[in-house]
Every structure is written in structure tokens, then in C-alpha cells.
Amino acid sequence: QVQLVESGGGLVQAGGSLRLSCAASGRTFSSYAMGWFRQAPGKEREFVAAINWSGVYTSYGDSVKGRFTISRDNAKNTVYLEMNSLKPEDTAVYYCARGLRPTIINVMSEYGYWGQGTQVTVSS
């Protein structure tokens, strides 16, 4: 059974930074792509970023390109999301997810395991 636990969310002022972490259980972490999604109140869950199994390739949603960075440490079974220049519209619950394959994917249906989410609130 795979478990994903996010941490690092909180309240930050616009222009500030936060670093989210997602710790995964199990010995197969390094075999799969990982992703971050977010869901704001009243909106659908949207793709934020993804990283392939090795960490060499990454992909970002248009709204976060140039501001967010996804990375992973396979030795620690952890994926990170560094968020800079935060905006009020970044306010959402952020979810970590494990892909069903090693390669980058930005479609929710291609992720089989999800964390419980961590709240990020950006004040103006």
C-alpha cells in the first residue's frame, strides 16, 4: 500500500515563498512519476507540476511556469514543490500524487495514489 503525506503548507503573503514536501511509503517510489495538483474552493482540481522517475524531466501548468519548481529525492522517497512569487490565486489545497508509469503525465486519471492535501493560503 502506498501512502503519500504532504507537509509545508500554510499562510504566506503575496510575493512570498513556500516549499511543500510529499513523503511516500513503499520501495517503488523511484520507479514512478510524481505530480502536484491543486484545488481551489469551487473549482476543479488542476495540474500544477510533474516529474519523471529519475528527476531529469519536469512539466508545469501554465499558471505556475517560472515560479514553481518540482524536484525529487529518490533516496528519501520525497518529492518537493518550491513555490516562489506566490499570488492570491495560488490559494488552494495542494495534493501530491504518484503516477501509474515512470514518464511525465499531467492527467489526473494517470495517477493512482493521492495524499490528503495541504492548504496553501496566499494573502494579498
Side-chain angles (χ1 to χ4, degrees), residues 61-117:
D62 288 341
S63 61
V64 306
K65 280 180 183 176
R67 300 188 298 122
F68 290 12
T69 302
I70 188 172
S71 61
R72 67 189 297 163
D73 185 337
N74 286 342
K76 295 183 178 179
N77 277 18
T78 302
V79 62
Y80 305 96
L81 186 68
E82 185 75 35
M83 305 186 295
N84 299 314
S85 302
L86 282 162
K87 305 174 182 180
E89 50 265 43
D90 293 319
T91 296
V93 177
Y94 283 71
Y95 297 91
C96 166
R98 200 202 80 174
L100 297 175
R101 62 185 73 179
T103 51
I104 286 181
I105 36 180
N106 61 5
V107 179
M108 279 197 301
S109 60
E110 293 295 325
Y111 286 84
Y113 299 93
W114 294 81
Q116 81 290 347

Side-chain angles (χ1 to χ4, degrees), residues 52-67:
N52 78 320
W53 68 276
S54 66
V56 171
Y57 299 104
T58 58
S59 177
Y60 297 93
D62 288 341
S63 61
V64 306
K65 280 180 183 176
R67 300 188 298 122

Side-chain angles (χ1 to χ4, degrees), residues 10-39:
L11 174 64
V12 64
Q13 287 189 332
S17 299
L18 279 176
R19 188 194 198 200
L20 305 183
S21 298
C22 173
S25 65
R27 293 180 289 180
T28 60
F29 176 81
S30 61
S31 298
Y32 296 94
M34 297 294 295
W36 287 95
F37 291 77
R38 68 185 182 186
Q39 188 165 18

